[in-house]
Amino acid sequence: MAVLKVTFTKKNRDKLAQVLWVLNWVSVVTGVTLFSLGLFLKVEIEKRRELMSKEVDSVPNMLICVGLTACTINFLGGKICYDCVDTTKFLRWKLLMLPYIICTFFFTFCILVGALMCYSMRNDLEESLFLGLRDAMRYYKDTDTPGRCYIKRTMDMLQMQFQCCGNGGYRDWFHTQWISNRFLDMTNSEVVERLRSNVEGKYLINGVPFSCCGLHSPRPCIQHQITNNSAHYNYDYHKEELNLNRRGCRQALLEHYTQIMQSIGLIVLIIWLFEVSVLTGVRYLQTAMENVLRCGDPDSESDGWLLENSIADTARYNFNIIKNLGKCYQVDDDPNIDVPSTSQQAQENVPIKQIPVPR
C-alpha cells in the first residue's frame, strides 16, 4: 500500500510543477544564504585566530560546501520541474529523477547536520579559547619577539572591546608575567628580590594591564596593588566592581560566538525544513508523472506518493538489496571447493573402450 497517496489531475500536476519551479529558484537563494553565513562565520573566527589554539573551521566549511551544493542541486531541480509540465519533455528526465531525489535527500540531511553542528561547536570552541588565551597572556610581554609582537595589541583591543579581563578573570594576570624584563629596573632591590622569590624567575605583581580598566568606573583606574586596600585612599577591592572588568575574556568570546552560531543554526534549520518540503513536492511530481506514462493518457488523473509500499516493506526491500550486494562479493571458504567429488573420480577411473576400426 502506498504511503500518503494523493490523486492529481492534469491541472494540479501542472500547478505543482510550476510551484516547485519557483521554490527551487528560492532554494538557490537559500543556498547563497548558506554560503554567506558560512563565509561570515569563517571571517569572524579568522579575526581572532591568534587567540585560538586549534582549527575550528568545521562548521563554516560545512556551511560553505552545503551552500554551493544547494545552488547546483536546486538549479537542476528547477529545470526538471519546469520540463515536467510537458509529458514529452519529462521523458528526458525520467531516469534521472530517482537518483536526483536520492541525492537531494542526502543533501537535506547534510543541511540538518550543519544546523546541529552550530549548536554542538561550543565545547570545542571553549577548549580552543582557553588554551589560546592562556598562550596569548603568556606572550603579552614579548613585544620585541618576531611573530609575537602583535599579541599585546590584540589582547588590549580584545579586553577593551569586550570589556573583559584575563582568561577566566582579572586574577589570571596575577600568575602571569606581563611586563617585559626590558622595562624592569634591575638596580632596584625590590625588583630583584621579587624575581628571586619566584621559582621560575618570573616577575609577578598584583596588577593588570591598563586595558582591563572598567570604562564606567567613577574613579581613576587602579591597576596596581589591586588587592591591597591600604595602598589606596577610600578603596575596598571587594566593593569596587566597576574599577576592573570582572568577566573573563574566554566567557565573553564564548558568548559572542555562541550567539552567532545559535542564530545561524536557527536559520539553517528553517532552510532545512524548506528543503524537505521542496523535496516532498518533487517526489509527488515524479511518481505522478510516471503513473501518467503508464496510463498512456497525458490528460488523465494519476496517483502520487512518497513511498510505493509501506515503510516496513520498503526497508525490507532495501535491506535485501544490500544483503544481495554483499553476497556478490562474498568469498567461498569451503575447504573442499577444489576437491573432486566421488562421482567425478569414479567417472575418471572408468577405462575407456577402444572402438575397433575395420581393416
Side-chain angles (χ1 to χ4, degrees):
M1 181 179 178
V3 178
L4 298 177
K5 184 170 68 174
V6 178
T7 302
F8 295 92
T9 63
K10 175 67 167 61
K11 184 178 180 180
N12 290 337
R13 287 196 303 270
D14 292 345
K15 285 185 177 180
L16 178 61
Q18 292 170 359
V19 170
L20 288 175
W21 175 74
V22 174
L23 292 180
N24 272 283
W25 277 107
V26 175
S27 297
V28 173
V29 178
T30 61
V32 176
T33 303
L34 286 173
F35 176 81
S36 302
L37 290 174
L39 197 61
F40 168 75
L41 183 57
K42 191 176 184 66
V43 170
E44 283 293 318
I45 292 176
E46 287 294 333
K47 284 181 181 178
R48 298 172 181 87
R49 170 69 66 188
E50 62 270 15
L51 300 177
M52 300 179 187
S53 62
K54 61 180 181 180
E55 300 288 335
V56 285
D57 288 334
S58 57
V59 174
N61 290 340
M62 176 75 170
L63 294 177
I64 291 173
C65 293
V66 169
L68 293 175
T69 307
C71 295
T72 304
I73 288 180
N74 291 309
F75 177 80
L76 178 62
K79 175 61 177 174
I80 293 174
C81 294
Y82 181 80
D83 288 344
C84 284
V85 177
D86 188 353
T87 308
T88 57
K89 290 183 178 180
F90 173 74
L91 290 173
R92 296 183 302 181
W93 302 103
K94 183 177 181 297
L95 297 177
L96 188 62
M97 283 289 284
L98 186 58
Y100 168 78
I101 291 175
I102 294 174
C103 292
T104 307
F105 174 78
F106 285 107
F107 161 70
T108 54
F109 178 75
C110 291
I111 296 179
L112 179 61
V113 171
L116 297 177
M117 287 176 65
C118 290
Y119 292 97
S120 61
M121 185 181 172
R122 180 185 175 92
N123 292 334
D124 292 338
L125 183 61
E126 184 174 10
E127 180 183 0
S128 180
L129 287 173
F130 173 76
L131 298 176
L133 287 170
R134 184 193 63 182
D135 293 338
M137 293 176 61
R138 185 184 304 166
Y139 303 142
Y140 182 87
K141 66 180 185 302
D142 299 337
T143 53
D144 58 339
T145 303
R148 299 178 185 174
C149 54
Y150 61 90
I151 292 294
K152 179 182 182 300
R153 180 181 180 277
T154 301
M155 279 299 300
D156 287 335
M157 293 297 295
L158 172 68
Q159 293 184 142
M160 289 187 291
Q161 179 181 355
F162 287 89
Q163 297 183 26
C164 58
C165 186
N167 194 335
Y170 69 91
R171 288 182 176 272
D172 292 338
W173 289 108
F174 297 173
H175 310 289
T176 304
Q177 180 179 346
W178 52 274
I179 300 178
S180 175
N181 289 339
R182 292 187 301 149
F183 306 108
L184 296 179
D185 184 7
M186 294 303 178
T187 60
N188 190 321
S189 59
E190 182 180 351
V191 172
V192 175
E193 183 63 27
R194 186 179 293 273
L195 288 171
R196 290 177 178 176
S197 63
N198 187 270
V199 177
E200 298 179 359
K202 296 181 179 179
Y203 183 75
L204 305 181
I205 60 173
N206 188 8
V208 297
F210 76 98
S211 53
C212 284
C213 294
L215 299 178
H216 305 287
S217 177
R219 66 181 298 165
C221 180
I222 297 176
Q223 62 180 107
H224 297 286
Q225 299 187 22
I226 295 173
T227 57
N228 186 2
N229 292 333
S230 60
H232 311 283
Y233 175 74
N234 192 21
Y235 173 76
D236 185 356
Y237 78 95
H238 291 290
K239 299 179 181 179
E240 295 286 344
E241 296 182 357
L242 297 178
N243 180 59
L244 298 176
N245 298 321
R246 299 294 177 126
R247 185 176 59 164
C249 291
R250 182 177 76 252
Q251 183 64 27
L253 285 175
L254 195 61
E255 291 176 358
H256 172 71
Y257 283 115
T258 300
Q259 185 178 3
I260 293 176
M261 288 185 296
Q262 287 180 350
S263 301
I264 292 177
L266 180 60
I267 296 173
V268 175
L269 196 59
I270 294 173
I271 292 176
W272 173 74
L273 293 173
F274 179 77
E275 292 289 344
V276 169
S277 63
V278 175
L279 176 61
T280 303
V282 173
R283 174 59 175 169
Y284 272 115
L285 181 62
Q286 178 227 353
T287 52
M289 293 299 295
E290 288 183 351
N291 288 329
V292 166
L293 295 178
R294 292 191 185 102
C295 294
D297 184 6
D299 297 327
S300 63
E301 293 184 350
S302 62
D303 294 332
W305 51 69
L306 292 182
L307 296 175
E308 187 173 0
N309 300 312
S310 64
I311 298 177
D313 292 339
T314 303
R316 192 180 302 111
Y317 175 75
N318 292 328
F319 177 75
N320 290 332
I321 292 177
I322 297 174
K323 186 168 64 174
N324 291 332
L325 287 175
K327 287 182 178 179
C328 294
Y329 297 98
Q330 185 176 359
V331 179
D332 197 342
D333 295 332
D334 188 1
N336 299 319
I337 188 171
D338 295 327
V339 178
S341 61
T342 306
S343 60
Q344 183 179 356
Q345 290 178 353
Q347 292 178 1
E348 292 176 355
N349 294 330
V350 174
I352 301 175
K353 295 181 179 180
Q354 295 181 355
I355 301 174
V357 180
R359 296 179 180 178

